[in-house]
């Protein structure tokens, strides 16, 4: 059984993330979405809110689990015996950061853990949590950029 991990801040979860989750869930037996708790990053949503939104949005995916972690990604991977870490890659803007992280993690992972990159669907290549957050906070429309469940949550919590 191949256990895969997809990590991120997911503040908020976007349709770009959803596309990667759907594809990774088809590729691997079990996919864990690991939400990072980063106390140094100013977040729109608390970890608890992000986790609640994620569970609600992914409730119909039979082989997808939701979890959170803090500290080194490699420690979380080694402790939970994941086989694969999935990352989404948009344009060249992601590449430099991602290759550095993948190569550093390769030193820290227990043997045979691979970082696998899925190229973003071009429909979503301009979407990032930061841009979605900024547009929303400045009163712009984010319909179609995040799952409807997230939109409902944002509207309910009036963030
Ligand atoms: O949503 P993001 O910001 O793209 O997620 C980045 C994330 C969480 C994958 C990355 O920041 C991370 O792995 N952080 C954990 C700390 C860590 O392991 N740092 C060393 C990376 S080589």
């Amino acid at each position: 059984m191949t256990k895969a991990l997809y990590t991120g801040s997911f503040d908020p979860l976007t349709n770009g993330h959803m596309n990667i989750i759907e594809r990774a869930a088809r590729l691997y037996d079990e996919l864990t979405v690991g939400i990072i708790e980063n106390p140094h990053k100013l977040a729109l949503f608390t970890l608890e809110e992000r986790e609640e939104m994620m569970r609600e949005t992914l409730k119909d995916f039979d082989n997808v689990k939701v979890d959170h972690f803090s500290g080194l990604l490699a420690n979380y991977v080694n402790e939970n015996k994941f086989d694969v870490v999935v990352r989404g890659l948009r344009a060249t803007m992601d590449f430099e950061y991602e290759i550095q992280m993948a190569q550093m993690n390769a030193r820290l992972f227990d043997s045979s853990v691979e970082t696998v990159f899925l190229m973003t669907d071009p429909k979503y290549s301009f979407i990032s949590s930061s841009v979605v957050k900024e547009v929303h906070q400045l009163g712009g429309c984010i319909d179609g950029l995040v799952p409807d469940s997230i939109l409902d949550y944002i509207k309910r919590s009036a963030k």
Side-chain angles (χ1 to χ4, degrees):
M1 183 175 104
T2 309
K3 282 178 65 177
L5 172 70
Y6 179 51
T7 57
S9 310
F10 305 113
D11 183 45
L13 174 69
T14 69
N15 281 338
H17 296 132
M18 278 305 289
N19 176 258
I20 300 293
I21 292 170
E22 284 163 11
R23 289 159 62 197
R26 281 200 301 271
L27 285 171
Y28 301 108
D29 298 312
E30 188 181 284
L31 176 71
T32 297
V33 177
I35 307 172
I36 182 139
E37 182 179 13
N38 185 349
H40 305 299
K41 208 166 164 181
L42 194 63
L44 176 62
F45 294 102
T46 64
L47 177 69
E48 290 71 26
E49 289 172 324
R50 283 178 278 149
E51 197 160 343
E52 187 185 325
M53 284 188 278
M54 189 70 82
R55 284 189 199 283
E56 165 65 22
T57 308
L58 300 181
K59 63 180 187 305
D60 295 330
F61 289 75
D62 293 337
N63 65 334
V64 179
K65 295 175 166 185
V66 178
D67 193 13
H68 63 264
F69 71 101
S70 57
L72 268 187
L73 173 110
N75 289 348
Y76 178 63
V77 167
N78 292 337
E79 280 158 19
N80 291 280
K81 306 210 178 313
F82 291 108
D83 303 293
V84 172
V85 172
V86 175
R87 299 289 298 163
L89 207 54
R90 285 167 299 187
T92 48
M93 62 183 180
D94 286 334
F95 183 77
E96 285 189 28
Y97 173 66
E98 292 293 340
I99 191 169
Q100 183 184 34
M101 198 165 69
Q103 290 175 341
M104 176 59 81
N105 280 334
R107 288 175 58 96
L108 303 171
F109 286 154
D110 288 345
S111 59
S112 82
V113 178
E114 289 288 351
T115 301
V116 171
F117 293 94
L118 298 183
M119 298 302 154
T120 189
D121 182 315
K123 277 203 295 275
Y124 306 117
S125 59
F126 68 97
I127 302 179
S128 70
S129 292
S130 316
V131 87
V132 164
K133 214 165 12 188
E134 185 170 330
V135 168
H136 171 68
Q137 285 177 322
L138 296 174
C141 174
I142 56 167
D143 291 15
L145 304 181
V146 300
D148 289 345
S149 55
I150 302 291
L151 215 48
D152 291 346
Y153 193 99
I154 291 175
K155 285 178 183 162
R156 274 202 314 274
S157 66
K159 287 225 190 199

